[in-house]
């Protein structure tokens, strides 16, 4: 299992009239956590795409527990529980500044060969850096 953490500050434009984080922005927070999670492993989306592999989202799930609010610093814990195959699932827990769990979610992505538009295995570099977490 691989786990990483990143933080985001809620910007004014991400809130609704009640001052709560608008529900659609949680998917963006997931993306930030996912990208930073890979970056912490030494991988970037840019490098993966340069190898001819794209990673479209197949599923996105979210559970709202407590609202996030303007200017809060949110901590996002991103977890990969299973070794990726053709698909990779990221799970998220978002905590507010009081360390209270405010949201949980997950995204399921598929590795796709950019030229053929067909599913493919993860890039070798990703398999290599994740291997120690799944022994």
């Amino acid at each position: 299992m691989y786990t990483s953490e990143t933080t985001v500050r809620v910007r004014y434009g991400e809130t609704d009239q009640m001052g709560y984080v608008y529900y659609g922005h949680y998917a963006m927070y997931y993306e930030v956590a996912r990208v930073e999670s890979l970056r912490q492993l030494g991988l970037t989306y840019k490098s993966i795409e340069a190898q001819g592999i794209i990673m479209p989202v197949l599923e996105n799930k979210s559970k709202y527990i407590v609202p996030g609010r303007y200017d809060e610093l949110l901590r996002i814990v991103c977890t990969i529980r299973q070794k990726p195959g053709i698909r990779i699932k990221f799970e998220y827990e978002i905590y507010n500044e009081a360390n209270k769990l405010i949201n949980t979610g997950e995204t399921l992505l598929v590795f796709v060969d950019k030229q053929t538009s067909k599913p493919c295995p993860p890039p070798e570099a990703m398999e290599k850096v994740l291997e120690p977490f799944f022994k």
Side-chain angles (χ1 to χ4, degrees):
M1 178 172 73
Y2 170 68
T3 301
S4 66
E5 291 188 15
T6 192
T7 58
V8 295
R9 184 161 308 274
V10 177
R11 295 173 294 186
Y12 184 78
E14 296 167 354
T15 61
D16 60 20
Q17 194 171 17
M18 298 174 287
Y20 296 167
V21 173
Y22 180 70
Y23 76 93
H25 288 291
Y26 285 93
M28 180 182 59
Y29 296 160
Y30 297 166
E31 180 184 3
V32 169
R34 190 167 62 241
V35 168
E36 293 305 317
S37 179
L38 294 177
R39 188 179 306 279
Q40 290 173 28
L41 288 167
L43 300 169
T44 64
Y45 263 67
K46 187 175 184 176
S47 69
I48 292 169
E49 290 175 352
Q51 296 174 52
I53 297 174
I54 55 175
M55 298 170 58
V57 174
L58 293 175
E59 295 178 6
N60 182 55
K61 298 178 183 175
S62 224
K63 180 178 179 183
Y64 309 97
I65 301 164
V66 175
R69 297 178 184 272
Y70 169 63
D71 205 39
E72 280 187 315
L73 188 61
L74 304 179
R75 180 173 59 94
I76 309 169
V77 178
C78 181
T79 303
I80 303 170
R81 292 191 191 282
Q82 296 177 330
K83 185 177 178 181
I86 290 175
R87 297 176 180 186
I88 183 169
K89 183 191 286 187
F90 294 88
E91 298 176 15
Y92 313 94
E93 294 178 333
I94 302 180
Y95 297 86
N96 64 14
E97 289 179 347
N99 205 35
K100 183 169 183 159
L101 181 66
I102 67 167
N103 178 278
T104 61
E106 62 183 53
T107 52
L108 180 66
L109 289 77
V110 63
F111 297 99
V112 173
D113 182 298
K114 192 173 183 177
Q115 287 187 334
T116 65
S117 296
K118 296 195 184 287
C120 66
E124 192 175 311
M126 180 181 281
E127 290 181 320
K128 186 177 179 179
V129 296
L130 284 173
E131 184 179 336
F133 299 98
F134 295 100
K135 286 188 174 186

